[in-house]
Amino acid sequence: MATLSIFANIKITEPKKIEAFVDALESSIADPMPPSNSPKKIVLSDPAKIREILAKRKENG
């Protein structure tokens, strides 16, 4: 299973590599996800607004 691949024993013996690994973990915790540059999607659920938009599309062809 794909989820099992994240559960692995990690053995790091060199002190500099241990520090780099811990630094990477700490930085991922501090800033877990970069901000998205894409605009947020708006879901339109009001039937009257949907009819209005579809009517405009039909008029404009």
Side-chain angles (χ1 to χ4, degrees):
M1 292 191 159
T3 56
L4 293 178
S5 65
I6 63 170
F7 299 110
N9 293 328
I10 298 172
K11 185 176 181 180
I12 304 172
T13 56
E14 296 179 35
K16 287 189 177 188
K17 290 185 178 182
I18 293 170
E19 287 180 30
F21 180 72
V22 171
D23 289 342
L25 288 176
E26 288 176 345
S27 67
S28 70
I29 291 170
D31 189 18
M33 192 175 232
S36 175
N37 291 337
S38 62
K40 295 186 180 194
K41 295 181 181 179
I42 299 172
V43 177
L44 188 60
S45 60
D46 181 16
K49 295 267 186 190
I50 294 171
R51 281 189 205 101
E52 181 182 327
I53 291 171
L54 291 176
K56 286 181 183 177
R57 283 184 64 187
K58 190 175 182 180
E59 290 173 7
N60 294 333

